[in-house]
Amino acid sequence: MKRLSLILGCVLLFAGIAQAADKPVIRLGARVFTEQTLLAEITAQYLRSKGYDAQITGGLGSNLARSAHETGQLDMLWEYTGVSLVAYNHVTEKLDSAQSYARVKELDAKKGLVWLTPSKFSNTYALALPKTVAEEYPQIHTISQLNEVLRAEAKTNHLVALDTEFANRSDGLDGMVKLYDMNLTRKNIRQMDAGLVYTALRNGQVFAGLVYTTDGRLNAFGLKLWKTTSITSRTTPPHRSCVRPTSTRTRNWRSNSSRWPSCSTTKPCASSTRGSMSITRARRKSLPTSCASIH
């Protein structure tokens, strides 16, 4: 009886392995912040429901994720048009949302990356104030007004928290300082992990901090920001998020195209910002023509 159970167990085990092996594998990447984690997980769950073996590699830095994508170690990645345009393709020309998407689609195609149709959200940078600061300085409604306070009270040395990536981007801190002639120096800037910026704002440890406009912690922590404090529209290109597959993997999906969803009926991301996914060119060729994107 024990032998029969063992044999039966082995049969079921190998049957499960064989079944898993039959599923086409899609390797998804996710950067090290909440929105990326959610987008990757939602996309993976959706793909699994369609018969794919979706595997997520999360917690990646921006440069590492990009490198893994370009070298084919990742098949799909939610990417932002502004990041690809400036950080990876070094375009300094000011472009609107549609122009930015068209340009990165063209430039990244030369690297074997295919941008799918953008989603309906745009995650942008903004400056936020802790609730206590906003109540103490009700006159601050724009970046210019914030700068007036920073200059008038320079001796107080109000601290401004910035995530490391923004602080070192040419269209980030440098662009903002030049555009607004901001009183930001090493003395009052604190660079830190993006997540710690929110913690510092919540705890009242800084006067202002750089945030993402789609982040749920804005409401949860009672942070104040305004559309006029949005930085992207003035110093950085629009950050539309897209699913970007690599080109070397798309043909592997062709035999399974009947299981790929009709994009007109799928909504794996119901976020309030806009974006797109990219895949490798070979992967893209295997998709049915009715599925130019996941949105």
Side-chain angles (χ1 to χ4, degrees):
M1 187 65 179
K2 290 182 179 180
R3 182 177 300 174
L4 177 61
S5 299
L6 177 61
I7 293 174
L8 180 59
C10 289
V11 170
L12 293 175
L13 174 62
F14 287 122
I17 293 175
Q19 184 177 11
D22 291 337
K23 295 182 179 180
V25 176
I26 299 178
R27 300 164 300 176
L28 288 160
R31 290 186 173 88
V32 62
F33 54 94
T34 306
E35 180 173 274
Q36 284 273 306
T37 301
L38 290 174
L39 288 172
E41 182 58 35
I42 292 170
T43 304
Q45 289 186 24
Y46 178 76
L47 292 172
R48 289 165 188 154
S49 73
K50 299 301 177 180
Y52 290 89
D53 179 12
Q55 301 174 1
I56 299 175
T57 300
L60 301 174
S62 292
N63 291 334
L64 181 58
R66 174 73 179 201
S67 176
H69 205 194
E70 287 190 4
T71 56
Q73 297 175 66
L74 292 175
D75 299 319
M76 306 180 79
L77 178 71
W78 280 91
E79 183 61 281
Y80 303 92
T81 52
V83 173
S84 180
L85 190 70
V86 176
Y88 305 131
N89 288 295
H90 311 294
V91 175
T92 58
E93 180 184 357
K94 293 293 188 242
L95 304 173
D96 62 24
S97 182
Q99 292 171 332
S100 295
Y101 172 74
R103 184 68 63 83
V104 295
K105 186 175 183 179
E106 175 188 359
L107 293 174
D108 280 347
K110 300 174 183 178
K111 304 172 184 178
L113 304 176
V114 181
W115 286 76
L116 302 185
T117 302
S119 67
K120 297 180 179 180
F121 72 85
S122 178
N123 186 6
T124 185
Y125 290 114
L127 287 174
L129 304 180
K131 184 177 180 181
T132 54
V133 173
E135 291 173 348
E136 185 177 353
Y137 294 85
Q139 74 272 30
I140 299 179
H141 297 287
T142 66
I143 293 178
S144 296
Q145 291 169 345
L146 170 63
N147 192 34
E148 290 175 5
V149 173
L150 293 177
R151 288 190 174 281
E153 302 182 6
K155 292 182 179 181
T156 306
N157 194 34
H158 293 304
L159 299 180
V160 177
L162 305 173
D163 73 59
T164 305
E165 181 175 331
F166 180 85
N168 291 281
R169 282 178 54 165
S170 60
D171 64 328
L173 175 59
D174 286 345
M176 184 174 67
V177 168
K178 291 176 182 178
L179 180 64
Y180 293 98
D181 190 24
M182 294 193 74
N183 184 36
L184 292 178
T185 65
R186 291 185 178 181
K187 185 178 179 181
N188 61 348
I189 290 176
R190 294 295 181 270
Q191 294 186 36
M192 59 190 72
D193 178 81
L196 293 179
V197 173
Y198 293 91
T199 302
L201 286 166
R202 181 188 59 183
N203 295 340
Q205 296 170 296
V206 295
F207 191 78
L210 187 82
V211 296
Y212 307 140
T213 54
T214 61
D215 202 295
R217 286 170 289 189
L218 296 175
N219 290 330
F221 294 172
L223 306 180
K224 183 177 181 179
L225 76 161
W226 313 267
K227 290 182 179 179
T228 47
T229 58
S230 172
I231 299 167
T232 297
S233 60
R234 300 294 301 279
T235 65
T236 66
H239 282 50
R240 303 173 72 189
S241 176
C242 307
V243 183
R244 189 184 59 204
T246 52
S247 64
T248 56
R249 300 279 290 178
T250 49
R251 60 172 165 266
N252 297 331
W253 297 343
R254 190 179 301 281
S255 61
N256 298 283
S257 61
S258 62
R259 287 187 286 179
W260 190 262
S262 170
C263 295
S264 60
T265 60
T266 61
K267 294 183 179 180
C269 181
S271 177
S272 61
T273 57
R274 304 193 69 183
S276 173
M277 179 173 270
S278 59
I279 54 178
T280 55
R281 185 177 295 117
R283 278 289 201 190
R284 177 64 187 90
K285 291 178 181 178
S286 69
L287 301 179
T289 56
S290 63
C291 247
S293 69
I294 301 177
H295 57 71

mmCIF file of all heavy atoms in Angstrom, residues 27-29 66 69 74-80 84 108 112-117 241-247 250 253 275-281 283-284:
data_model
loop_
_atom_site.group_PDB
_atom_site.id
_atom_site.type_symbol
_atom_site.label_atom_id
_atom_site.label_comp_id
_atom_site.label_asym_id
_atom_site.label_seq_id
_atom_site.Cartn_x
_atom_site.Cartn_y
_atom_site.Cartn_z
ATOM 1 N N ARG A 27 8.972 36.234 -18.397
ATOM 2 C CA ARG A 27 9.724 36.781 -17.268
ATOM 3 C C ARG A 27 9.468 38.280 -17.141
ATOM 4 O O ARG A 27 9.864 39.058 -18.004
ATOM 5 C CB ARG A 27 11.219 36.497 -17.459
ATOM 6 C CG ARG A 27 11.557 35.010 -17.554
ATOM 7 C CD ARG A 27 12.947 34.796 -18.120
ATOM 8 N NE ARG A 27 13.054 35.355 -19.462
ATOM 9 C CZ ARG A 27 14.192 35.370 -20.161
ATOM 10 N NH1 ARG A 27 15.293 34.858 -19.643
ATOM 11 N NH2 ARG A 27 14.222 35.902 -21.364
ATOM 12 N N LEU A 28 8.793 38.645 -16.074
ATOM 13 C CA LEU A 28 8.432 40.043 -15.821
ATOM 14 C C LEU A 28 9.414 40.692 -14.858
ATOM 15 O O LEU A 28 9.831 40.068 -13.887
ATOM 16 C CB LEU A 28 7.027 40.125 -15.215
ATOM 17 C CG LEU A 28 5.836 39.839 -16.137
ATOM 18 C CD1 LEU A 28 4.625 39.478 -15.299
ATOM 19 C CD2 LEU A 28 5.538 41.047 -17.000
ATOM 20 N N GLY A 29 9.761 41.945 -15.115
ATOM 21 C CA GLY A 29 10.622 42.684 -14.203
ATOM 22 C C GLY A 29 9.833 43.758 -13.478
ATOM 23 O O GLY A 29 8.835 44.260 -13.992
ATOM 24 N N ARG A 66 16.724 47.878 -16.624
ATOM 25 C CA ARG A 66 16.917 48.221 -18.039
ATOM 26 C C ARG A 66 17.954 47.304 -18.692
ATOM 27 O O ARG A 66 17.750 46.799 -19.803
ATOM 28 C CB ARG A 66 17.377 49.679 -18.158
ATOM 29 C CG ARG A 66 17.743 50.112 -19.571
ATOM 30 C CD ARG A 66 16.531 50.282 -20.444
ATOM 31 N NE ARG A 66 16.899 50.712 -21.792
ATOM 32 C CZ ARG A 66 16.072 51.315 -22.633
ATOM 33 N NH1 ARG A 66 14.829 51.567 -22.263
ATOM 34 N NH2 ARG A 66 16.473 51.659 -23.834
ATOM 35 N N HIS A 69 16.610 43.889 -19.261
ATOM 36 C CA HIS A 69 15.635 43.907 -20.351
ATOM 37 C C HIS A 69 16.320 43.931 -21.708
ATOM 38 O O HIS A 69 15.957 43.192 -22.623
ATOM 39 C CB HIS A 69 14.738 45.136 -20.193
ATOM 40 C CG HIS A 69 13.402 44.993 -20.832
ATOM 41 N ND1 HIS A 69 12.561 46.050 -21.048
ATOM 42 C CD2 HIS A 69 12.764 43.915 -21.336
ATOM 43 C CE1 HIS A 69 11.461 45.633 -21.634
ATOM 44 N NE2 HIS A 69 11.555 44.344 -21.825
ATOM 45 N N LEU A 74 14.995 39.610 -19.145
ATOM 46 C CA LEU A 74 13.593 39.879 -18.840
ATOM 47 C C LEU A 74 12.827 39.975 -20.153
ATOM 48 O O LEU A 74 13.352 40.487 -21.142
ATOM 49 C CB LEU A 74 13.436 41.192 -18.069
ATOM 50 C CG LEU A 74 13.989 41.255 -16.648
ATOM 51 C CD1 LEU A 74 13.844 42.671 -16.102
ATOM 52 C CD2 LEU A 74 13.284 40.256 -15.724
ATOM 53 N N ASP A 75 11.584 39.489 -20.158
ATOM 54 C CA ASP A 75 10.765 39.547 -21.364
ATOM 55 C C ASP A 75 9.867 40.779 -21.397
ATOM 56 O O ASP A 75 9.604 41.334 -22.460
ATOM 57 C CB ASP A 75 9.871 38.301 -21.455
ATOM 58 C CG ASP A 75 10.680 37.029 -21.531
ATOM 59 O OD1 ASP A 75 11.699 37.027 -22.250
ATOM 60 O OD2 ASP A 75 10.304 36.042 -20.871
ATOM 61 N N MET A 76 9.373 41.177 -20.230
ATOM 62 C CA MET A 76 8.426 42.281 -20.175
ATOM 63 C C MET A 76 8.731 43.173 -18.977
ATOM 64 O O MET A 76 9.176 42.702 -17.939
ATOM 65 C CB MET A 76 6.984 41.771 -20.076
ATOM 66 C CG MET A 76 6.589 40.794 -21.148
ATOM 67 S SD MET A 76 4.876 40.212 -21.001
ATOM 68 C CE MET A 76 4.005 41.613 -21.701
ATOM 69 N N LEU A 77 8.468 44.470 -19.159
ATOM 70 C CA LEU A 77 8.739 45.427 -18.101
ATOM 71 C C LEU A 77 7.831 46.639 -18.273
ATOM 72 O O LEU A 77 7.720 47.175 -19.374
ATOM 73 C CB LEU A 77 10.209 45.872 -18.174
ATOM 74 C CG LEU A 77 10.677 46.917 -17.168
ATOM 75 C CD1 LEU A 77 10.762 46.316 -15.766
ATOM 76 C CD2 LEU A 77 12.039 47.480 -17.586
ATOM 77 N N TRP A 78 7.181 47.054 -17.183
ATOM 78 C CA TRP A 78 6.443 48.307 -17.227
ATOM 79 C C TRP A 78 7.450 49.436 -17.183
ATOM 80 O O TRP A 78 8.239 49.552 -16.257
ATOM 81 C CB TRP A 78 5.474 48.403 -16.041
ATOM 82 C CG TRP A 78 4.208 47.635 -16.257
ATOM 83 C CD1 TRP A 78 3.963 46.342 -15.915
ATOM 84 C CD2 TRP A 78 3.014 48.116 -16.885
ATOM 85 N NE1 TRP A 78 2.692 45.982 -16.286
ATOM 86 C CE2 TRP A 78 2.083 47.053 -16.888
ATOM 87 C CE3 TRP A 78 2.647 49.345 -17.445
ATOM 88 C CZ2 TRP A 78 0.807 47.187 -17.425
ATOM 89 C CZ3 TRP A 78 1.372 49.469 -17.976
ATOM 90 C CH2 TRP A 78 0.463 48.397 -17.964
ATOM 91 N N GLU A 79 7.428 50.280 -18.204
ATOM 92 C CA GLU A 79 8.424 51.328 -18.341
ATOM 93 C C GLU A 79 7.756 52.685 -18.499
ATOM 94 O O GLU A 79 6.592 52.772 -18.904
ATOM 95 C CB GLU A 79 9.321 51.024 -19.550
ATOM 96 C CG GLU A 79 10.455 52.002 -19.772
ATOM 97 C CD GLU A 79 11.419 52.048 -18.603
ATOM 98 O OE1 GLU A 79 11.070 52.712 -17.594
ATOM 99 O OE2 GLU A 79 12.487 51.422 -18.677
ATOM 100 N N TYR A 80 8.495 53.736 -18.201
ATOM 101 C CA TYR A 80 7.993 55.104 -18.277
ATOM 102 C C TYR A 80 8.681 55.827 -19.424
ATOM 103 O O TYR A 80 9.910 55.806 -19.545
ATOM 104 C CB TYR A 80 8.238 55.832 -16.957
ATOM 105 C CG TYR A 80 7.610 55.106 -15.790
ATOM 106 C CD1 TYR A 80 8.343 54.172 -15.067
ATOM 107 C CD2 TYR A 80 6.282 55.320 -15.446
ATOM 108 C CE1 TYR A 80 7.764 53.469 -14.012
ATOM 109 C CE2 TYR A 80 5.696 54.624 -14.390
ATOM 110 C CZ TYR A 80 6.440 53.700 -13.689
ATOM 111 O OH TYR A 80 5.863 52.997 -12.651
ATOM 112 N N SER A 84 12.862 56.455 -20.132
ATOM 113 C CA SER A 84 13.570 55.918 -21.289
ATOM 114 C C SER A 84 14.099 57.035 -22.176
ATOM 115 O O SER A 84 15.224 56.967 -22.684
ATOM 116 C CB SER A 84 12.641 55.008 -22.102
ATOM 117 O OG SER A 84 13.315 54.481 -23.233
ATOM 118 N N ASP A 108 14.028 52.824 -28.976
ATOM 119 C CA ASP A 108 14.188 51.532 -28.310
ATOM 120 C C ASP A 108 14.015 50.357 -29.268
ATOM 121 O O ASP A 108 14.510 49.257 -29.003
ATOM 122 C CB ASP A 108 13.203 51.404 -27.147
ATOM 123 C CG ASP A 108 13.689 52.130 -25.914
ATOM 124 O OD1 ASP A 108 14.873 52.504 -25.878
ATOM 125 O OD2 ASP A 108 12.898 52.320 -24.970
ATOM 126 N N GLY A 112 15.998 46.424 -29.836
ATOM 127 C CA GLY A 112 15.248 45.189 -29.699
ATOM 128 C C GLY A 112 14.102 45.251 -28.722
ATOM 129 O O GLY A 112 13.621 44.218 -28.255
ATOM 130 N N LEU A 113 13.648 46.452 -28.383
ATOM 131 C CA LEU A 113 12.559 46.614 -27.426
ATOM 132 C C LEU A 113 11.335 47.189 -28.120
ATOM 133 O O LEU A 113 11.447 48.098 -28.945
ATOM 134 C CB LEU A 113 12.983 47.545 -26.282
ATOM 135 C CG LEU A 113 14.237 47.129 -25.525
ATOM 136 C CD1 LEU A 113 14.605 48.176 -24.481
ATOM 137 C CD2 LEU A 113 14.037 45.771 -24.857
ATOM 138 N N VAL A 114 10.184 46.658 -27.798
ATOM 139 C CA VAL A 114 8.936 47.066 -28.441
ATOM 140 C C VAL A 114 7.990 47.668 -27.405
ATOM 141 O O VAL A 114 7.642 47.017 -26.423
ATOM 142 C CB VAL A 114 8.242 45.868 -29.121
ATOM 143 C CG1 VAL A 114 6.955 46.320 -29.799
ATOM 144 C CG2 VAL A 114 9.177 45.205 -30.130
ATOM 145 N N TRP A 115 7.559 48.899 -27.637
ATOM 146 C CA TRP A 115 6.604 49.556 -26.743
ATOM 147 C C TRP A 115 5.192 49.243 -27.203
ATOM 148 O O TRP A 115 4.850 49.468 -28.359
ATOM 149 C CB TRP A 115 6.817 51.072 -26.754
ATOM 150 C CG TRP A 115 8.038 51.513 -26.021
ATOM 151 C CD1 TRP A 115 9.333 51.421 -26.446
ATOM 152 C CD2 TRP A 115 8.092 52.123 -24.732
ATOM 153 N NE1 TRP A 115 10.193 51.935 -25.504
ATOM 154 C CE2 TRP A 115 9.453 52.378 -24.445
ATOM 155 C CE3 TRP A 115 7.119 52.488 -23.791
ATOM 156 C CZ2 TRP A 115 9.865 52.977 -23.250
ATOM 157 C CZ3 TRP A 115 7.531 53.094 -22.617
ATOM 158 C CH2 TRP A 115 8.894 53.324 -22.342
ATOM 159 N N LEU A 116 4.368 48.747 -26.291
ATOM 160 C CA LEU A 116 2.969 48.505 -26.612
ATOM 161 C C LEU A 116 2.181 49.800 -26.411
ATOM 162 O O LEU A 116 2.712 50.815 -25.966
ATOM 163 C CB LEU A 116 2.419 47.392 -25.725
ATOM 164 C CG LEU A 116 3.164 46.048 -25.812
ATOM 165 C CD1 LEU A 116 2.456 44.991 -24.983
ATOM 166 C CD2 LEU A 116 3.302 45.586 -27.256
ATOM 167 N N THR A 117 0.907 49.756 -26.746
ATOM 168 C CA THR A 117 0.055 50.940 -26.611
ATOM 169 C C THR A 117 0.047 51.429 -25.166
ATOM 170 O O THR A 117 -0.111 50.628 -24.244
ATOM 171 C CB THR A 117 -1.386 50.610 -27.044
ATOM 172 O OG1 THR A 117 -1.358 50.142 -28.395
ATOM 173 C CG2 THR A 117 -2.267 51.849 -26.962
ATOM 174 N N SER A 241 3.442 55.302 -18.435
ATOM 175 C CA SER A 241 3.969 53.977 -18.153
ATOM 176 C C SER A 241 3.469 52.986 -19.188
ATOM 177 O O SER A 241 2.296 52.970 -19.518
ATOM 178 C CB SER A 241 3.520 53.520 -16.757
ATOM 179 O OG SER A 241 3.943 52.209 -16.522
ATOM 180 N N CYS A 242 4.393 52.160 -19.710
ATOM 181 C CA CYS A 242 4.053 51.229 -20.767
ATOM 182 C C CYS A 242 4.642 49.854 -20.480
ATOM 183 O O CYS A 242 5.689 49.735 -19.864
ATOM 184 C CB CYS A 242 4.579 51.709 -22.113
ATOM 185 S SG CYS A 242 4.093 53.387 -22.535
ATOM 186 N N VAL A 243 3.950 48.825 -20.946
ATOM 187 C CA VAL A 243 4.489 47.471 -20.874
ATOM 188 C C VAL A 243 5.385 47.290 -22.080
ATOM 189 O O VAL A 243 4.939 47.405 -23.210
ATOM 190 C CB VAL A 243 3.362 46.429 -20.915
ATOM 191 C CG1 VAL A 243 3.958 45.037 -20.753
ATOM 192 C CG2 VAL A 243 2.368 46.690 -19.804
ATOM 193 N N ARG A 244 6.675 47.033 -21.829
ATOM 194 C CA ARG A 244 7.615 46.947 -22.936
ATOM 195 C C ARG A 244 8.232 45.563 -23.004
ATOM 196 O O ARG A 244 9.057 45.197 -22.188
ATOM 197 C CB ARG A 244 8.726 47.992 -22.767
ATOM 198 C CG ARG A 244 9.621 48.122 -23.982
ATOM 199 C CD ARG A 244 10.756 49.085 -23.711
ATOM 200 N NE ARG A 244 11.550 48.627 -22.581
ATOM 201 C CZ ARG A 244 12.286 49.441 -21.839
ATOM 202 N NH1 ARG A 244 12.293 50.715 -22.062
ATOM 203 N NH2 ARG A 244 12.999 48.950 -20.841
ATOM 204 N N PRO A 245 7.856 44.740 -24.012
ATOM 205 C CA PRO A 245 8.457 43.416 -24.161
ATOM 206 C C PRO A 245 9.764 43.507 -24.940
ATOM 207 O O PRO A 245 9.969 44.419 -25.733
ATOM 208 C CB PRO A 245 7.414 42.642 -24.968
ATOM 209 C CG PRO A 245 6.241 43.559 -25.130
ATOM 210 C CD PRO A 245 6.762 44.947 -24.933
ATOM 211 N N THR A 246 10.651 42.544 -24.715
ATOM 212 C CA THR A 246 11.889 42.495 -25.482
ATOM 213 C C THR A 246 11.639 41.768 -26.797
ATOM 214 O O THR A 246 10.746 40.944 -26.902
ATOM 215 C CB THR A 246 12.981 41.757 -24.688
ATOM 216 O OG1 THR A 246 12.469 40.506 -24.265
ATOM 217 C CG2 THR A 246 13.409 42.561 -23.485
ATOM 218 N N SER A 247 12.446 42.044 -27.818
ATOM 219 C CA SER A 247 12.163 41.545 -29.160
ATOM 220 C C SER A 247 12.570 40.094 -29.374
ATOM 221 O O SER A 247 12.106 39.442 -30.285
ATOM 222 C CB SER A 247 12.875 42.414 -30.189
ATOM 223 O OG SER A 247 14.265 42.309 -30.023
ATOM 224 N N THR A 250 9.294 37.333 -28.330
ATOM 225 C CA THR A 250 7.890 37.358 -28.713
ATOM 226 C C THR A 250 7.480 36.199 -29.610
ATOM 227 O O THR A 250 6.357 35.739 -29.544
ATOM 228 C CB THR A 250 7.550 38.671 -29.435
ATOM 229 O OG1 THR A 250 8.517 38.909 -30.443
ATOM 230 C CG2 THR A 250 7.551 39.831 -28.462
ATOM 231 N N TRP A 253 5.697 33.043 -28.283
ATOM 232 C CA TRP A 253 4.288 33.033 -27.879
ATOM 233 C C TRP A 253 3.360 32.693 -29.042
ATOM 234 O O TRP A 253 2.177 32.502 -28.849
ATOM 235 C CB TRP A 253 3.890 34.416 -27.340
ATOM 236 C CG TRP A 253 4.624 34.809 -26.127
ATOM 237 C CD1 TRP A 253 5.331 34.007 -25.282
ATOM 238 C CD2 TRP A 253 4.755 36.124 -25.606
ATOM 239 N NE1 TRP A 253 5.893 34.734 -24.284
ATOM 240 C CE2 TRP A 253 5.551 36.035 -24.446
ATOM 241 C CE3 TRP A 253 4.277 37.381 -25.994
ATOM 242 C CZ2 TRP A 253 5.877 37.149 -23.680
ATOM 243 C CZ3 TRP A 253 4.600 38.479 -25.231
ATOM 244 C CH2 TRP A 253 5.385 38.369 -24.091
ATOM 245 N N GLY A 275 0.542 54.783 -18.845
ATOM 246 C CA GLY A 275 1.778 54.067 -19.076
ATOM 247 C C GLY A 275 1.693 53.013 -20.150
ATOM 248 O O GLY A 275 0.685 52.873 -20.803
ATOM 249 N N SER A 276 2.783 52.241 -20.341
ATOM 250 C CA SER A 276 2.819 51.206 -21.358
ATOM 251 C C SER A 276 3.825 50.135 -21.001
ATOM 252 O O SER A 276 4.738 50.362 -20.222
ATOM 253 C CB SER A 276 3.193 51.823 -22.713
ATOM 254 O OG SER A 276 3.387 50.847 -23.689
ATOM 255 N N MET A 277 3.650 48.939 -21.577
ATOM 256 C CA MET A 277 4.586 47.845 -21.330
ATOM 257 C C MET A 277 5.400 47.585 -22.574
ATOM 258 O O MET A 277 4.931 47.775 -23.688
ATOM 259 C CB MET A 277 3.841 46.571 -20.921
ATOM 260 C CG MET A 277 4.760 45.392 -20.671
ATOM 261 S SD MET A 277 3.921 43.950 -19.995
ATOM 262 C CE MET A 277 4.059 44.262 -18.248
ATOM 263 N N SER A 278 6.626 47.156 -22.387
ATOM 264 C CA SER A 278 7.484 46.848 -23.523
ATOM 265 C C SER A 278 7.935 45.401 -23.458
ATOM 266 O O SER A 278 8.103 44.834 -22.391
ATOM 267 C CB SER A 278 8.702 47.767 -23.529
ATOM 268 O OG SER A 278 9.422 47.619 -22.340
ATOM 269 N N ILE A 279 8.103 44.795 -24.630
ATOM 270 C CA ILE A 279 8.540 43.403 -24.731
ATOM 271 C C ILE A 279 9.638 43.321 -25.798
ATOM 272 O O ILE A 279 9.847 44.251 -26.563
ATOM 273 C CB ILE A 279 7.373 42.459 -25.123
ATOM 274 C CG1 ILE A 279 6.703 42.960 -26.404
ATOM 275 C CG2 ILE A 279 6.369 42.338 -24.010
ATOM 276 C CD1 ILE A 279 5.575 42.071 -26.886
ATOM 277 N N THR A 280 10.308 42.181 -25.853
ATOM 278 C CA THR A 280 11.318 42.011 -26.897
ATOM 279 C C THR A 280 10.628 41.878 -28.243
ATOM 280 O O THR A 280 9.488 41.443 -28.338
ATOM 281 C CB THR A 280 12.165 40.754 -26.641
ATOM 282 O OG1 THR A 280 11.307 39.638 -26.517
ATOM 283 C CG2 THR A 280 12.989 40.909 -25.384
ATOM 284 N N ARG A 281 11.327 42.252 -29.313
ATOM 285 C CA ARG A 281 10.719 42.242 -30.645
ATOM 286 C C ARG A 281 10.264 40.845 -31.039
ATOM 287 O O ARG A 281 9.196 40.653 -31.612
ATOM 288 C CB ARG A 281 11.695 42.792 -31.683
ATOM 289 C CG ARG A 281 11.078 42.918 -33.062
ATOM 290 C CD ARG A 281 12.052 43.548 -34.054
ATOM 291 N NE ARG A 281 12.365 44.919 -33.688
ATOM 292 C CZ ARG A 281 13.580 45.341 -33.354
ATOM 293 N NH1 ARG A 281 14.586 44.471 -33.309
ATOM 294 N NH2 ARG A 281 13.805 46.596 -33.052
ATOM 295 N N ARG A 283 9.327 38.461 -29.088
ATOM 296 C CA ARG A 283 8.117 38.179 -28.325
ATOM 297 C C ARG A 283 6.918 38.852 -28.967
ATOM 298 O O ARG A 283 5.845 38.281 -29.073
ATOM 299 C CB ARG A 283 8.276 38.687 -26.888
ATOM 300 C CG ARG A 283 9.031 37.758 -25.964
ATOM 301 C CD ARG A 283 8.233 36.541 -25.630
ATOM 302 N NE ARG A 283 8.703 35.910 -24.413
ATOM 303 C CZ ARG A 283 8.285 34.720 -24.002
ATOM 304 N NH1 ARG A 283 7.420 34.036 -24.725
ATOM 305 N NH2 ARG A 283 8.722 34.198 -22.883
ATOM 306 N N ARG A 284 7.084 40.096 -29.373
ATOM 307 C CA ARG A 284 5.983 40.861 -29.939
ATOM 308 C C ARG A 284 5.448 40.211 -31.202
ATOM 309 O O ARG A 284 4.246 40.202 -31.456
ATOM 310 C CB ARG A 284 6.461 42.294 -30.247
ATOM 311 C CG ARG A 284 5.397 43.161 -30.914
ATOM 312 C CD ARG A 284 4.212 43.362 -29.988
ATOM 313 N NE ARG A 284 3.122 44.036 -30.651
ATOM 314 C CZ ARG A 284 2.161 43.430 -31.307
ATOM 315 N NH1 ARG A 284 2.164 42.104 -31.420
ATOM 316 N NH2 ARG A 284 1.194 44.114 -31.868
#
